[in-house]
Amino acid sequence: MHLFLHGKLFHRVIMDSLLGALLALTLSTPTVAFVPIGGGASTHVSITGTALLQKVADSCRAVAEAAGHEFKPTGTSPGELVQACLGPRAPGEVSGAKFLSALQEIYTQNGLVDRDFVNSAPHHFNSEAFLEGRGLITEGMVAIKANIRKENFKAARETLGRVLHTLQDFYSHSNWVELGYREPYSNLIRPDLPLESLADVNTPTCSDCPSGTCPNQILSNILKEKKLTSGYMGIFSSQKPK
């Protein structure tokens, strides 16, 4: 059973667990606010890293127990998690350095969404592009699964990073929290379920703010009707409605 965790099969275990369990994590934990860079709040990278390592540890614990040994990492670093996952007598074909490099691929692609798709409303759930954003997430999940089946794990990791950025931006760039919701929106990863009560570009959603420091700008009827609305990129955006 130790051999089951070596080489490509190790990557398959990890990627399968990340696709299923990581997205499940996104659905099972309270939503939190975050910023793209710095500032002391959670960032795209810190949210992604925390979730990845938590789900890797959960998956490795289950696999280790099935292999007949305890999962007792000496710490929380990627190297320590890998060694505990492989087991005490495993030769350790997958090194901590390689695992850290694989995680970095996910983090890098997550961050590059802000550079490569800066003006793409669906990638950031801007400009009321809820359906298009959900499409990117669900299409990405299909691509990840296909790449796992082909053992093209690098492509699967990179797609996962990009998908997670868009998924995270839904909570940062929409009024989901302002509507009173405290659990993630499962319909975002379920193409068979509808996205309901969406505002569009012709729906008045917020009041003007000449001073730039106005609290509670979302219109009361939007909150009362539980309508989802998003931000718009750029003060003078041609897409920004009156």
Side-chain angles (χ1 to χ4, degrees):
M1 290 298 292
H2 291 304
L3 295 177
F4 181 68
L5 290 174
H6 290 174
K8 290 182 179 179
L9 288 177
F10 176 86
H11 288 291
R12 181 179 291 277
V13 169
I14 296 303
M15 286 307 303
D16 280 341
S17 71
L18 291 183
L19 176 62
L22 177 57
L23 290 176
L25 173 69
T26 310
L27 296 177
S28 62
T29 56
T31 54
V32 293
F34 64 96
V35 295
I37 54 173
S42 297
T43 66
H44 276 292
V45 170
S46 67
I47 287 176
T48 302
T50 298
L52 286 171
L53 291 180
Q54 179 179 329
K55 299 317 296 182
V56 166
D58 290 346
S59 298
C60 283
R61 181 176 293 105
V63 173
E65 290 175 355
H69 63 264
E70 287 187 279
F71 178 70
K72 296 179 67 175
T74 56
T76 58
S77 72
E80 289 165 320
L81 287 177
V82 168
Q83 186 57 53
C85 198
L86 292 171
R89 294 181 297 278
E93 291 179 16
V94 181
S95 70
K98 289 181 179 179
F99 183 41
L100 180 60
S101 176
L103 292 175
Q104 191 61 49
E105 290 173 355
I106 300 173
Y107 304 154
T108 298
Q109 290 301 315
N110 185 299
L112 286 177
V113 171
D114 275 333
R115 185 198 73 180
D116 296 342
F117 302 99
V118 63
N119 294 317
S120 171
H123 281 84
H124 307 284
F125 279 100
N126 291 328
S127 305
E128 317 293 10
F130 291 108
L131 295 175
E132 297 88 344
R134 197 265 292 272
L136 290 175
I137 293 170
T138 55
E139 290 165 11
M141 290 175 63
V142 171
I144 292 168
K145 292 176 182 179
N147 280 307
I148 290 173
R149 287 193 295 270
K150 297 175 183 177
E151 297 188 347
N152 189 352
F153 301 114
K154 178 179 174 62
R157 289 191 293 268
E158 291 176 345
T159 303
L160 178 63
R162 293 191 293 271
V163 165
L164 288 175
H165 186 112
T166 299
L167 188 61
Q168 292 158 1
D169 268 356
F170 169 80
Y171 301 101
S172 182
H173 296 182
S174 78
N175 64 330
W176 179 258
V177 172
E178 284 82 359
L179 291 178
Y181 297 116
R182 294 296 179 266
E183 297 298 326
Y185 192 19
S186 61
N187 295 32
L188 290 176
I189 63 170
R190 292 282 304 277
D192 57 315
L193 296 178
L195 299 183
E196 298 178 321
S197 194
L198 304 178
D200 60 35
V201 294
N202 297 313
T203 305
T205 59
C206 61
S207 58
D208 198 9
C209 182
S211 69
T213 56
C214 307
N216 306 318
Q217 279 183 259
I218 299 176
L219 299 180
S220 59
N221 67 297
I222 295 296
L223 299 175
K224 183 178 180 180
E225 296 170 14
K226 294 281 189 179
K227 276 192 174 294
L228 270 173
T229 184
S230 73
Y232 285 79
M233 190 68 175
I235 297 175
F236 303 108
S237 169
S238 61
Q239 293 182 311
K240 183 180 178 182
K242 293 181 180 180

